Amino acid sequence: MPVSGACPACGGPLRPWRVVPASDPALGPQSFSLERCPRCGTAVTAGPAPPGLHETGAYRPGAPRLHSAARPVLGLFDRQRLSLIRALVPPRARLLDVGAGRGRFVAAAQAAGYRAAGIEASERGVAAARPLGVQVERARIEEASRPPASLEAVTLWHVLEHLDDPGGALDRLAYWLAPGGVLLAGVPNLSSLQARLGGDRWYHLDVPRHRVHFTPAGISTLLRSHGFSVLS
């Protein structure tokens, strides 16, 4: 099979893998090609991303459907993330939540004693954060500015898979982190049983919004190649 590019996770060759339907009904009956790396198993969504993807569907302005009903579950997720951070960095640490969405985790981290702020690319998220009284700046990673070594912790929850250049984003975050600082990142797992069972209609493929579909081997290699030590 022809090689069509380099894996953004490990640099291995990318080869055509499968064609999957668009995840957002607003895009109509479109399909998108995925290319996969035989070295680490990571895949990418081929071609450029259509504009406006993060202002439609689940990302459209206004409160998401069933938001109130989901609040207890989302609160549980926040507490789990905080427990992971707290085990490595104590409260009062300077924390930045990248891709902060509606500011919910920033608010939870502040309540737990962290000096927390967030950055978020969508206006919907920034507007929703205001009633919570949390500081969420509208900016992408490449647009935001922080002094070098000014943070003890960065949380990056379901963000890296949206980026065409996740390595470049990690370099920027590493520049902001103080020596010994901690990065907590979450991405969908393309090697999971759920992904294998879901096949070309696995919910977390979310094409074409998701640009890179990581495996544990791929994300570990990416982090190490950009100066991070993988603890877990």
Side-chain angles (χ1 to χ4, degrees):
M1 300 173 82
V3 175
S4 55
C7 173
C10 76
L14 290 174
R15 295 190 171 92
W17 179 40
R18 62 172 32 154
V19 176
V20 301
S23 299
D24 190 341
L27 294 173
Q30 294 190 56
S31 295
F32 295 86
S33 296
L34 299 185
E35 299 172 346
R36 196 166 193 184
C37 172
R39 184 186 298 171
C40 74
T42 294
V44 301
T45 303
L53 285 176
H54 294 88
E55 303 296 337
T56 63
Y59 294 84
R60 66 186 181 277
R65 288 187 304 158
L66 304 178
H67 175 67
S68 296
R71 193 173 294 152
V73 177
L74 297 174
L76 174 62
F77 290 158
D78 292 339
R79 291 191 293 275
Q80 288 176 332
R81 269 191 276 175
L82 280 171
S83 69
L84 292 170
I85 286 290
R86 194 180 289 114
L88 298 167
V89 182
R92 297 299 302 161
R94 296 161 296 178
L95 182 151
L96 181 68
D97 189 29
V98 177
R102 305 167 65 86
R104 196 189 68 247
F105 181 71
V106 177
Q110 288 179 349
Y114 289 91
R115 291 177 285 172
I119 61 173
E120 164 60 34
S122 74
E123 176 56 34
R124 182 198 77 159
V126 172
R130 293 188 189 112
L132 297 178
V134 300
Q135 178 187 351
V136 174
E137 172 192 356
R138 187 177 184 187
R140 300 179 185 278
I141 296 174
E142 63 271 21
E143 299 165 343
S145 178
R146 294 290 186 281
S150 61
L151 300 168
E152 280 85 47
V154 170
T155 52
L156 196 69
W157 211 251
H158 289 267
V159 173
L160 284 176
E161 67 268 24
H162 290 261
L163 307 179
D164 286 302
D165 182 17
L170 289 175
D171 286 338
R172 194 163 181 82
L173 299 179
Y175 179 73
W176 296 344
L177 278 168
V182 172
L183 175 74
L184 177 64
V187 295
N189 179 2
L190 190 61
S191 291
S192 67
L193 175 62
Q194 185 189 78
R196 293 196 296 272
L197 292 175
D200 63 359
R201 294 186 179 273
W202 181 43
Y203 174 79
H204 285 295
L205 287 177
D206 197 12
V207 295
R209 287 193 190 96
H210 287 185
R211 311 304 300 163
V212 184
H213 311 272
F214 291 101
T215 62
I219 190 69
S220 296
T221 300
L222 176 69
L223 288 164
R224 290 189 176 97
S225 66
H226 289 272
F228 291 90
S229 299
V230 178
L231 300 179
S232 175

